[in-house]
Amino acid sequence: DSISARIINAAWDVGLDQRLLDDRLRLGATWFFQRIDDFIAFTGNSVDNIDGESKIHGLELEAGFDITSALTLSASYTYTQAEDAGGDKLVRRPKHQASLDLGYRFLGDRARLDASLLYGGGRDDYFYDAFYNQERVGLDSYTLINVGGSYRLLENVEIFGRVENVFDENYEEVYTYGTPGRAGYAGLRIRL
């Protein structure tokens, strides 16, 4: 007689966070791994299981720094390696992603301005013809800039506004699916 066990799907992550300089500097790193048997994927007009064992693993890094009591800078970077059982890259998963954020509080913390830079690395996707024949295509990397701000009128009333994709970057995260161009938003937030 024998006893055996098989882990069908497995996932884990290991992280480390460190605060330095009287908590003004924050550093973090996370290593992650996921194994998926019979990964479910879109196949043109349906979904199907990809036979075998797909693996997704990588590293996330982040840092934040309080330059002054009012000015903060933060950054993050993610490296992802995603492959199916045959060693082909899984689609729609960029290998590199990053962000850089700057925030400034003023007028006794009543007002805030924010700016962010977002980078999405190139990725593969599938093109399907009218008969659902599949062809792998590459999508370009992109960089977006967003800006925003807010002002607290009363203790529980705040006005805010933001502009996303400031430079009207034309990009795709999914082949042939449009993404928003430059867009502006404004509003009033009331906390009860």
Side-chain angles (χ1 to χ4, degrees), residues 23-177:
D23 287 345
R24 288 180 56 211
L25 176 62
R26 297 163 302 281
L27 302 172
T30 303
W31 181 28
F32 60 90
F33 176 86
Q34 185 175 22
R35 186 183 71 211
I36 306 165
D37 282 352
D38 301 329
F39 186 77
I40 298 171
F42 181 68
T43 57
N45 63 349
S46 181
V47 293
D48 202 0
N49 291 87
I50 299 174
D51 290 335
E53 184 179 275
S54 299
K55 295 178 183 173
I56 302 169
H57 59 93
L59 178 67
E60 295 177 341
L61 302 172
E62 55 186 22
F65 183 60
D66 297 336
I67 299 167
T68 68
S69 61
L71 185 63
T72 59
L73 178 67
S74 60
S76 67
Y77 169 76
T78 303
Y79 170 82
T80 304
Q81 188 73 36
E83 298 175 346
D84 65 19
D88 291 326
K89 291 190 294 185
L90 291 175
V91 297
R92 300 182 184 168
R93 287 170 175 78
K95 187 175 279 191
H96 306 282
Q97 294 185 92
S99 68
L100 183 65
D101 300 288
L102 186 65
Y104 179 61
R105 295 184 315 273
F106 56 104
L107 297 178
D109 281 348
R110 293 178 71 93
R112 181 171 179 89
L113 293 175
D114 297 288
S116 64
L117 181 137
L118 306 172
Y119 172 79
R123 64 200 75 195
D124 286 351
D125 203 353
Y126 290 124
F127 162 75
Y128 296 93
D129 66 16
F131 301 101
Y132 297 105
N133 295 311
Q134 175 180 287
E135 179 183 337
R136 190 174 282 256
V137 295
L139 302 179
D140 292 334
S141 61
Y142 60 87
T143 302
L144 305 177
I145 294 178
N146 303 324
V147 296
S150 63
Y151 180 74
R152 193 174 69 243
L153 298 168
L154 301 168
E155 189 61 36
N156 59 344
V157 179
E158 180 180 62
I159 58 171
F160 66 90
R162 70 182 186 276
V163 177
E164 296 180 353
N165 194 0
V166 170
F167 295 107
D168 202 23
E169 175 81 8
N170 186 12
Y171 67 102
E172 292 177 315
E173 294 180 315
V174 177
Y175 186 65
T176 71
Y177 279 74

